Amino acid sequence: MASFEPCRAKMEAEGIAQSAISAFESTFNSLVSGNTGMIPESTITPVPELVHTDSITAKPNAGLLAETVVLKLNGGLGTGMGLDKAKSLLEVKNGDTFLDLTAKQVMCMRKDFGENVKFMLMNSFSTSDDTMEFFRTKYPSLAAEEGLEMLQNKVPKLDATTYEPAACESDPSNEWCPPGHGDLYAALIGSGRLAALLKSGYKYMFVSNSDNLGATLDLKILTHFADTNASFMMECCERTENDKKGGHLAIRNSDQHLILRESAMCADEDEKEFQDITKHRFFNTNNLWIRLDKLQEIVEKFGGFIPLPMIMNSKTVDPKDDNSQKVVQLETAMGAAIECFDGASAVIVPRTRFAPVKKCNDLLLLRSDAYVITEDFRPVLNPACGGVAPVIDLDSKKYKLVGALEEATVNGCPSLVNCKRLKVKGVVRFGRSTRFVGSVSITNTSDESKYVSGKIEDADLDLSAETGLGQLKPTVVKSGPINGQKPGTSGLRKKTKEFMSKDYLNNFVQSVFDAVIAGGTNVSEGSLMIGGDGRYFNDTAIQTIIKMGVANGVKRFWIGENGLFSTPAVSATIRERGPVWQKSFGAFILTASHNPGGPEEDFGIKYNTQNGGPAPEYLMEATYTNTTTIKSYKICEDFPTIDINKVGSTTVTAEDGSTSVVVEVIPSTESHVALLKTIFDFDAIKALLDRPDFSMVYDSMHGVNGPFSKAVFVDELDQPESVLRNHIPKDDFNGGHADPNLTYAKELVKTMGLDRTGNKIETDGPIPSFGAAADGDGDRNMILGSQFFVTPSDSLAIIVANANCIPFFSTQGGLKAVARSMPTSGAVDLVAKDLNLDFFETPTGWKFFGNLMDSKAVFKGKDYTPFICGEESFGTGSDHVREKDGIWAVLAWLNILAAQNNDASKPLVTVEDIVRKHWATYGRNYYCRWDFEGMDGPGANAMMDKMRADTAANTGRVVGSYTIATADDFRYVDPVDGSVAEKQGIRFLMSDGSRVIFRLSGTAGSGATVRMYIEQYETEKLDQPVASALEELTKIALELCDIKTFCGTETPTVIT
């Protein structure tokens, strides 16, 4: 006989409570002993009449509420309906989910009863994160209540042959399964909640499923339960023809206990009597009333658990792979505990207390006008239905999954209030104008969904030959996972040829759509933005995404003129462009940022959400998971190619007139430039630019910022086009590397009288007073004065120190908070301390700044706006958008220069003057970054691992004239959402405040980039060459990392 010991060891290693282990051992022993879990008809007797709650005359006793706890079972993912999140997060009605209505029921109950009735949830390991995030965001007062969540246990799946714990190397989480809602008792015991509730004076518990919104705390039923002194009470309904395949209540002949017999416990030869609703009249609604003190007595009687009948299900270890290992999953049902309680009882309740959603039939009915929501937030049958719910019979093969129902009702749910029966065979679509009356049967044998509109009364329709969607008809194309599609903080970047290979782009885009839709975004409402930095393959990718968007339900698109959108412009347009009903819900940005472009170089894609910022980590994780399991993608292959080079609108209407899609090509610069004009003093900037002793040049490096620089400097500030350099976007950035630094912005750097190390050189002509450069997608900036380079770290600190001269900050009462990425120098820290601003050091990645910006608006936390943030990698911005913004930083500098030069009769205050004055005030952070690009990945990782392993040994070590005060791997706990970011960079923090930092970045298909940061703070020696000031520390840094051994070089590709 198989041993339970491997299961015990696995569960103990996972930290599972002893009560759960004991309960699982009981069901396991039942399995290996040969017990099938069957309950023969010969061993039971039908239950006679039960008390109907409508006949209860006892006066409701409100005093019992103080002793009562309400618990909702919320462990189900709804995998049977194609869901991979908490089923209770499905929308039910009017934008409310099951959890919304549950929360509102609880708050309404407390108000009506005048008693703060205790409320609990039992979540599973699969639903906990989604559920608690939902409550923290929408119902923070409930989320903050002590003991809101109790976690369901998990148990091993068992090999179907050996009964040993199953293994799944591809995803170890698949080795576990929920133990069924019978785990309620083990969870109460193992978590200590049962003991805590009893100690706090709680005596009664009402339990129901989260998808049964009809099950609310009924004071009359509670009073009956208390008055009858029952130990356990089950709410039952009378079985109908629709319920005959479900379980029923019975009396066990051997001890006259009430028991529950489920369909899986019925032998084939007993099936006829099992389904006889005149014999076995009552079924369990899973609304249960439990005496907690009696539960404790039973637990003690059986040694720490309740022995429940076994339910065995045959599955595969990977639910998405039918060919994976065959397993059995052992479950128990909480209602089955009725047989363990002496003095257990049952009552009949009206159907209004039983409205669960198990199939798409139920969900369609609940969402339709056949149900209405009461003042206390219960869904009840519409009185116009005459007390009889319509019978819905959707094609079980076509509408097994919620996604199919969502597609069928994308234009609205049909009216069912006057319908008696609706049967659908095949795929169809409805709308708000669709009204079913009487008995209706619809058949569609074609492979294309057909539209049903208007009033349909007592009809038998065959839509097989009817007109369909035409150019809007989606096609499902078979595909399969492609390795390496895990997006980073800046999206997915690979070689262009890889993106152009079969299904590569399509797979990723479909995976994003699936994640976005599963996350609750209705893509049929609002607009989807698409645009990029203009690199090679941009135009083709846009057309593909449009066609896939239509197939996935998008009804409106905003495409940047010529296919162009800078990354900050996308964020600005999402946040600023209206009208409200067209607001963008998200955007695909086609960029690899500062990476080279062209057919032999890099391409990239990222998704931004409705706040204008990059997709949060959970969404990108869901996207990646989807790429590993994808089987097909949707595309409207016949959708016409859109002329994206001309501003205008194209409407494509379905042949059957059921729907239409609008593709609007919009001016790329419009929303962003309009926003910038509200932030800065354009009149003051223009006055500066018009001074005869001031000149400037802005190099767009043939990236996307060319049109934006023209819109700002030529069209708005009335400057000659000669101030612009390389402002015509090219799909290969004219063969250059559109990265605004001293190495790659060669033309600008030379014009400004500098070499690639920042040293002065002789020039042939006059040197402009001010120079700036942008990268490929317009989110980065480099600031230069005449023969003077401003480091990004200094630039950030100086903008913060002078923020009050910028209207955006001064008119809002001044700056409140600043943040920098961890590798960025500490120059801004000194300013923040001096100005008493909230300060944050974050990992690299704009999403961390975005959280701080949205602390109040999204997370209901402290308001940190107005807010400025930046990174040493030439990224600077504020809370006007949720991306770094290159042209914003340029205008910020010009606004500061204008404020310093408001008297044209005085000599020009230069960029160098402002920087040196700042150093004199705050000291100078000598700073340098070395980039080793194209390094061997394994070697670079090994180098990082070695430094990580040596952090403890290096702490306290003396190296040259420095002492390493701390060596660590940077870890960040987000103060807004509590998320934790690990392994964000190796830090060597010297006792004098100097720093050496190492980070690894894999930006595309071009190998790994090792970044080495060196920083030395000085208050007196402010005029040293950077290389000289950092010479010793640089040598120490190279020795600490030993990059020559691991990567074969000590020569950087780029020095900044």
Side-chain angles (χ1 to χ4, degrees), residues 169-377:
E169 292 183 5
S170 61
D171 185 357
S173 67
N174 283 331
E175 297 172 6
W176 300 89
C177 64
H181 44 59
D183 183 59
L184 166 69
Y185 310 107
L188 279 169
I189 300 160
S191 65
R193 292 297 172 80
L194 177 58
L197 289 169
L198 288 169
K199 185 177 181 180
S200 298
Y202 290 101
K203 187 175 182 180
Y204 308 103
M205 175 177 278
F206 174 58
V207 186
S208 62
N209 291 331
S210 62
D211 68 345
N212 182 10
L213 293 169
T216 57
L217 179 61
D218 187 303
L219 188 53
K220 183 173 70 172
I221 299 176
L222 170 60
T223 301
H224 174 77
F225 179 51
D227 286 351
T228 57
N229 201 33
S231 56
F232 182 103
M233 188 171 75
M234 177 183 289
E235 292 188 19
C236 297
C237 282
E238 296 195 60
R239 295 171 89 197
T240 67
E241 196 66 21
N242 290 335
D243 309 310
K244 67 181 183 181
K245 293 184 179 180
H248 66 79
L249 198 62
I251 296 175
R252 186 164 54 203
N253 295 337
S254 61
D255 58 10
Q256 296 302 296
H257 269 219
L258 288 170
I259 66 168
L260 192 63
R261 181 166 72 157
E262 302 286 358
S263 58
M265 300 172 172
C266 176
D268 291 343
E269 59 268 24
D270 292 333
E271 189 69 26
K272 182 178 179 181
E273 289 182 278
F274 177 86
Q275 294 190 20
D276 186 347
I277 62 174
T278 63
K279 182 177 183 180
H280 296 295
R281 295 169 51 199
F282 310 111
F283 72 89
N284 172 29
T285 63
N286 241 23
N287 302 343
L288 305 178
W289 298 84
I290 304 168
R291 274 274 298 271
L292 296 177
D293 53 340
K294 299 297 182 183
L295 173 60
Q296 180 65 36
E297 290 176 10
I298 295 173
V299 170
E300 293 172 356
K301 176 183 175 181
F302 288 100
F305 71 101
I306 294 184
L308 296 175
M310 175 193 71
I311 301 174
M312 182 175 69
N313 295 300
S314 297
K315 305 278 186 177
T316 55
V317 68
D318 183 347
K320 296 180 179 179
D321 183 1
D322 293 339
N323 295 318
S324 62
Q325 181 185 12
K326 298 291 188 295
V327 297
V328 292
Q329 295 180 194
L330 301 185
E331 299 180 6
T332 57
M334 69 173 182
I338 195 170
E339 67 182 63
C340 301
F341 285 82
D342 293 326
S345 66
V347 291
I348 304 172
V349 295
R351 283 273 177 166
T352 53
R353 291 186 62 77
F354 182 68
V357 172
K358 303 300 180 186
K359 298 180 179 180
C360 287
N361 293 339
D362 307 320
L363 188 58
L364 176 62
L365 189 61
L366 194 56
R367 286 178 172 178
S368 79
D369 58 359
Y371 272 83
V372 294
I373 302 297
T374 63
E375 290 184 356
D376 57 351
F377 302 102

Side-chain angles (χ1 to χ4, degrees), residues 533-827:
D533 58 18
R535 67 182 58 230
Y536 191 86
F537 190 54
N538 190 67
D539 294 356
T540 303
I542 288 173
Q543 300 293 341
T544 297
I545 297 171
I546 292 173
K547 292 182 177 187
M548 293 188 67
V550 175
N552 280 278
V554 179
K555 300 299 183 188
R556 179 177 291 275
F557 298 83
W558 288 342
I559 312 299
E561 183 181 5
N562 297 311
L564 301 178
F565 264 129
S566 73
T567 295
V570 168
S571 186
T573 306
I574 289 176
R575 296 175 65 82
E576 300 292 327
R577 186 178 177 87
V580 171
W581 63 275
Q582 292 183 12
K583 290 284 287 184
S584 175
F585 61 79
F588 282 101
I589 310 176
L590 306 174
T591 178
S593 189
H594 55 287
N595 288 17
E600 303 299 326
E601 297 295 347
D602 297 336
F603 190 80
I605 182 170
K606 61 181 286 192
Y607 184 81
N608 278 31
T609 57
Q610 60 188 358
N611 77 332
E617 190 167 350
Y618 78 84
L619 191 59
M620 287 296 92
E621 281 295 325
T623 295
Y624 174 62
T625 299
N626 291 342
T627 68
T628 65
T629 58
I630 190 169
K631 294 181 180 178
S632 62
Y633 58 82
K634 302 173 189 174
I635 189 168
C636 286
E637 295 176 329
D638 295 332
F639 193 84
T641 298
I642 301 299
D643 182 358
I644 61 175
N645 299 318
K646 181 180 179 182
V647 171
S649 182
T650 301
T651 300
V652 181
T653 302
E655 286 185 12
D656 59 14
S658 62
T659 188
S660 61
V661 172
V662 177
V663 183
E664 192 176 356
V665 179
I666 64 176
S668 304
T669 63
E670 188 174 65
S671 295
H672 191 205
V673 173
L675 177 60
L676 293 171
K677 288 173 66 178
T678 70
I679 293 171
F680 300 105
D681 186 344
F682 267 50
D683 289 338
I685 293 173
K686 186 177 186 309
L688 171 71
L689 298 179
D690 289 344
R691 281 181 60 145
D693 58 349
F694 187 89
S695 57
M696 71 161 284
V697 61
Y698 187 27
D699 189 348
S700 296
M701 302 186 75
H702 291 294
V704 74
N705 241 31
F708 292 85
S709 63
K710 183 176 183 297
V712 169
F713 293 105
V714 178
D715 299 341
E716 295 293 340
L717 294 170
D718 200 27
Q719 300 303 299
E721 201 162 333
S722 59
V723 303
L724 308 180
R725 297 280 179 89
N726 304 316
H727 65 289
I728 306 300
K730 300 285 183 70
D731 66 4
D732 65 348
F733 308 120
N734 205 38
H737 191 159
D739 193 355
N741 56 48
L742 293 172
T743 299
Y744 292 124
K746 300 174 185 175
E747 183 180 334
L748 173 68
V749 171
K750 183 178 180 181
T751 298
M752 298 304 296
L754 297 171
D755 64 13
R756 63 172 294 188
T757 64
N759 293 317
K760 297 179 181 180
I761 60 172
E762 296 294 326
T763 62
D764 296 332
I767 300 174
S769 313
F770 180 82
D775 68 335
D777 69 327
D779 64 353
R780 299 185 185 215
N781 73 92
M782 178 171 65
I783 303 298
L784 301 166
S786 178
Q787 294 190 305
F788 192 85
F789 167 63
V790 184
T791 70
S793 298
D794 279 343
S795 178
L796 171 64
I798 290 166
I799 293 173
V800 169
N802 294 274
N804 271 344
C805 72
I806 299 171
F808 180 80
F809 301 106
S810 60
T811 58
Q812 295 187 74
L815 193 61
K816 286 184 181 176
V818 297
R820 64 164 172 84
S821 65
M822 181 272 288
T824 304
S825 95

Side-chain angles (χ1 to χ4, degrees), residues 822 841 954-957 962-968 970 986-997 1015 1040:
M822 181 272 288
E841 181 182 28
N954 279 322
T955 297
R957 179 182 165 196
Y962 296 88
T963 299
I964 302 173
T966 302
D968 65 9
F970 183 56
I986 306 298
R987 302 189 302 176
F988 296 93
L989 309 180
M990 307 302 178
S991 58
D992 68 344
S994 301
R995 300 190 308 163
V996 174
I997 294 165
E1015 178 181 2
L1040 288 169

